[in-house]
Amino acid sequence: MAEKVGVYVCHCGSNIAGKVNVEEVAKWAGENLQDVAVSRDYKFMCSSLGQKMIEDDIRGEGLTRVVVAACSPHLHEKTFRRACTNAGLNPYLLDMTNIREHCSWVHRDMDSATLKAKSLVSAAVSRVKFQEPLEPTYVDVNPATLVIGGGIAGLQATLELADAGYHVYLVERSPSIGGHMAQFDKTFPTLDCSACILTPKMSEAGQHENVTLLTYSEIESVKGSVGNFEVKVRKKARRVDYDACTGCGICIEKCPRKVVDTEFEAGLGFRKAIYTPFPQAVPRVPVIDADSCIWFQRQKCRACEKLCPTDAIKFDQEDETLTLNVGNIILATGWKPFECRDIPQYGYGRLANVYTSLEFERLCNAAGPTNGKIVLRDGKTEPQSVAIIHCVGSRDVRHNEYCSGICCMASLKFGHLVLEKTKANVYSFYIDMRTNQKGYEEFYQRLLEEGMHFVRGKVSEITDAARMPNEQGKLIIQCEDTLMGRQRRIPVDMVVLMGALEPQSDAKEMGLKCGISCSMQGFFTERHPKLDPVATMTDGIFVAGACQGPKDIPASVAQGAAAAARVQGMITKGKVMVEPVVAKINEEACSGCRICNNICPYNAIEYDAERGVSHIITALCKGCGTCVSACPASVISGAHFSDQQIDAEIEGVLWDVIRPKSAVVSAN
Amino acid sequence: MSSASGAATAAGTKPKLAIYWAASCGGCEISILGIDTKILDVAAAFELVMCPCIMDGKVRDIEQLEDGAIAVCLFNGSIRNSEQEYMAQLLRRKSKVLVAFGSCAHEGCIPGLANLHDKQAIFENSYQETESTENPQRVRPQTATTVPEGTLHLPVFYDTVRTLDQTVDVDYYLPGCPPESPKIWEAIQAIVAGNLPPKGTVIGSDTTVCDDCKRIRNVKKVKQFKRTWEIIPDPEICLLEQGLLCCGIATRAGCGALCPQVNSPCIGCYGPNNDVHDFGARLMSAVASVIDADNPKDINAIISQGIPDPVGTFYRFGLAGSLLRRSKRPAGSDGGH
Ligand SMILES: Cc1cc2nc3c(=O)[nH]c(=O)nc-3n(C[C@H](O)[C@H](O)[C@H](O)COP(=O)(O)OP(=O)(O)OC[C@H]3O[C@@H](n4cnc5c(N)ncnc54)[C@H](O)[C@@H]3O)c2cc1C
Ligand code: SF4
Ligand code: SF4
Ligand code: SF4
Ligand code: SF4
């Protein structure tokens, strides 16, 4: 039986009609394309009237297929599928073709654009006839959630969900939660004490009845899909019994081994071989770092074990793997600092008094290695002048093209702290001052008033090679002052490099595990940059905080809360639809070559060794088509994207150039 | 094979069989003879009206037959010149069932690799450049040459080799270079019994060589492709996993995995499986999916070092029948004829 196709061409106001002769396309389709029973154009197909038009035709004309030529299916496929369903037509018998983004918006010439729109409609009409009715399935959503990363973004998400009554597993790779914020002294623009606002949240998360805290742990693998993920977590051996330890700290005090703390103290301070990163760490249970522990290195000592009042030290503890079942996952893995050594002309690592921004945070911090005194590397001399260099590794084609967003404000914060704590002159070397959030510009004005010096221009070099007497023993900042229009050399005692916020070095791997992608720079890609900033292209996986792009604390917190709200929405709904657009293996014809076995980005393919064939776990398949194109025997077919449908589409698009089929048929 | 002999009718009224060769090596005929004493059953069932390899026969005898007089024609060889094209058209007209027999007729096979060049380049090479050629007058084959006795004709040599179905309508395909004798016998039995699949069917299995291969298979990850002379492969484990580019993954089963059985990778002579548009593209896509590297530099190195002749590897048998058919044609060529 021939199909009856309805074609609906949308004007989208003037968005499409401005460049495509919509009436002509509709008329042409009705007169020229085979099996088209109805062909109409309409101002706004997505409006309720437009939808009703389709529904009426399905009922009245007995349409068996529907083609909507309008905007992107990302935007309105759901709308038109719903219209089909309302009128009793299986929603997968609809094809949407994009004559806006793919046509009117990218062309200037009306005639050519109209011709292209015809080709696209022709392709859709040919294709839709081969589409098959499909039935979605529904699965229950596991109400537990996994949050990866215990920085401020992850903490916020955790607490929102836990307070709403849902269970959260919070997995943090370092020994304590808190993230970078725990290292800071004050926070811009209000200058409230970072610890004062962060630690209450940390301890709340640590004690919450709905939170399972898994610190010093790593994600091994993520399987499954929205509603039902199975996650393997490796709890690294702390070598301290988590339940027995009371966090008294005697072990830390008595441990004879002191090492430079390159993490929390950014290399400026020391810690013991058994340690918590900082006194307010959550949990307070320490970890033994086997690489520096005397027992692990030389089989001597065990002082901590002897002195622990609760016998909590367990030298033989091993890594443990846990399996978590959750319905949704929030990634909040944050950022890592730019490696300032990569700009050798700034001298970091070579010139003693050049500091990274995190080192400087520790210097300012009252609980830091200098008790908050801003002094040079010698540990006692107060600087008389400090230079703060913006955009180190940011807005620089050789490193990161993007703006790290927070460095201007952090520089101003540092300027304020120097002026408050010392008598030094402070210079900010900036390219553009970016202070565009609430209270930020005011903070800049405040620093102008406080007497911070601003030099607009990119620093070309920091050197200790003096040319003038006043440069002796100083660090000289060589830069072009673009406001004065001349080169300047400014001698200072101390330099702070405001390194870029970069994606975590394992972000790509992490993304791969969760089935989401990263931008060119390596930050996780959100579903939509404006309209869906915390969801990702993989249902059930959300992102929050600096792992999605550089951002400040308020924005990280907002995203953490937004992600939690999205997850709550999923939990409340209770069930998720699983798209029936999946791949299927013709197991009779599968040779069991195993080519497809490790290419599925969702781990949906397994090998049945007994029968010697591969098999797709439908619940996991996202219909991406990777395996379909990889199978050398062509025995995997993708529902809704069959070869037949795609061939028909290609033939349709080539309607004006294709030669009529000759008597000769090609076998392959 | 009682059904075939049972279907045989008295001489004279026996159905007519023609076996013809165009651009081919003769291996297909040898393979037909490989059915051994069963050839007697064939003789009992059919009247052989043409088979230039083993018997004398005149084109004019075929021309005089009524259209459709031949029951079955097994046509091997691809179409490279005007005479072959004429014979393909003639046999098509005279035969009820035309079978593209063997890889050359089916997908172009080794003669089809000439589609990487054109007529002029091929003539230049064959009649001028080879070490053993001495041709100072630059003599080239001519389609017509006048001699005292009259005019001599040679067929027109085309730029492009075509498969049989790019030339005439084909009913069935029997793949292989050459088709394996047991498969030929199965096909003949089916024809005799009138037990024919739908037109256009490739007579064979609908899975690939791996299905018949006894080697142990693991998840595939290839870090380096190797040429056959570079290693002595482990006899138990899949050759592809050992870095030998075995085409068995993409090649239609039918031969019984002959090559991998003797430690040699399948080179793809049975052509693509059902529903494959382009064997080479399929195979490339599959091979690409198992390369174990994650940056373009390493991937390029693995491919360029391990697969020095991609066309010869992926399109050894299928170039003429592939989607692209040939390399870009120089201006002024004969347009495929
Ligand atoms: C020098 C400096 C000063 C700043 N000052 C301010 C300020 O004053 N005010 C302000 O608003 N913003 C400030 N910022 C910005 C602020 O640091 C970020 O906005 C904030 O850290 C983002 O929080 P987050 O939770 O997204 O990431 P992070 O703080 O980076 O936390 C991420 C957490 O995830 C963990 N993690 C990472 N990978 C994994 C993994 N694979 N598995 C498990 N856990 C993982 C990390 O260990 C970490 O605990 C400053 C930034 C800099 C560089
Ligand atoms: S289409 Fe294939 S590769 Fe893609 S998700 Fe499904 S099974 Fe995996
Ligand atoms: S690639 Fe194709 S033939 Fe090979 S195992 Fe997978 S489904 Fe089977
Ligand atoms: S050796 Fe070749 S035919 Fe055998 S399993 Fe491996 S790829 Fe397949
Ligand atoms: S293994 Fe491959 S190349 Fe060898 S005979 Fe079989 S199909 Fe042909």
Side-chain angles (χ1 to χ4, degrees), chain A residues 148-154 171-174 176-181 184 186-188 217-219 332-335 357-358 361 406 410 413-414 440 498-499 501 504 506 510 544-547 551-554 556:
Chain A
I148 307 174
I152 188 62
V171 173
E172 164 62 50
R173 95 165 14 145
S174 66
S176 169
I177 53 174
H180 282 104
M181 201 179 156
F184 303 161
K186 298 269 165 40
T187 54
F188 61 72
S217 301
E218 302 264 0
I219 303 297
T333 50
W335 56 278
S357 57
L358 280 180
E361 283 286 359
I406 58 90
K413 172 175 80 175
F414 288 169
Y440 286 11
M498 303 305 291
L501 267 64
Q504 296 283 7
D506 62 347
M510 194 66 203
C547 62
K551 56 178 63 66
D552 55 15
I553 295 165
S556 302

Side-chain angles (χ1 to χ4, degrees), chain B residues 209 251-252 255 257-260 266-270:
Chain B
V209 175
T251 307
R252 187 186 293 272
C255 67
L258 285 179
C259 300
C266 168
I267 54 175
C269 81
Y270 255 67

Side-chain angles (χ1 to χ4, degrees), chain B residues 110-123:
Chain B
I110 306 299
L113 283 173
N115 286 357
L116 292 172
H117 311 279
D118 59 3
K119 170 179 165 175
Q120 203 201 334
I122 293 167
F123 277 14

Side-chain angles (χ1 to χ4, degrees), chain A residues 654-667:
Chain A
L654 298 175
W655 65 279
D656 56 340
V657 288
I658 222 161
R659 273 172 290 163
K661 269 200 182 147
S662 69
V664 176
V665 287
S666 167

Side-chain angles (χ1 to χ4, degrees), chain A residues 45-46 54 68 76-84 94:
Chain A
M45 278 312 303
C46 59
I54 298 178
V68 179
H76 275 306
E77 191 170 54
K78 274 203 183 110
T79 313
F80 297 116
R81 280 191 177 163
R82 208 179 315 117
C84 291
L94 160 94

Side-chain angles (χ1 to χ4, degrees), chain B residues 17-30:
Chain B
L17 172 70
I19 299 172
Y20 191 73
W21 57 7
S24 62
C25 70
C28 284
E29 276 82 357
I30 305 301

Side-chain angles (χ1 to χ4, degrees), chain A residues 277-349:
Chain A
F278 50 102
Q280 305 86 340
V282 173
R284 297 187 60 191
V285 184
V287 298
I288 296 181
D289 162 21
D291 291 338
S292 38
C293 168
I294 301 171
W295 171 252
F296 280 102
Q297 296 308 312
R298 284 183 269 135
Q299 276 69 54
K300 289 204 183 85
C301 188
R302 295 182 93 120
C304 51
E305 189 186 43
K306 282 173 216 136
L307 294 165
C308 173
T310 60
D311 289 336
I313 307 294
K314 299 280 176 259
F315 283 104
D316 55 358
Q317 201 181 57
E318 286 184 0
D319 289 5
E320 196 186 332
T321 307
L322 307 178
T323 305
L324 310 179
N325 292 299
V326 296
N328 293 279
I329 298 176
I330 299 175
L331 277 161
T333 50
W335 56 278
K336 79 158 173 37
F338 173 72
E339 172 52 81
C340 290
R341 285 184 180 82
D342 288 352
I343 306 186
Q345 63 271 33
Y346 285 178
Y348 180 72

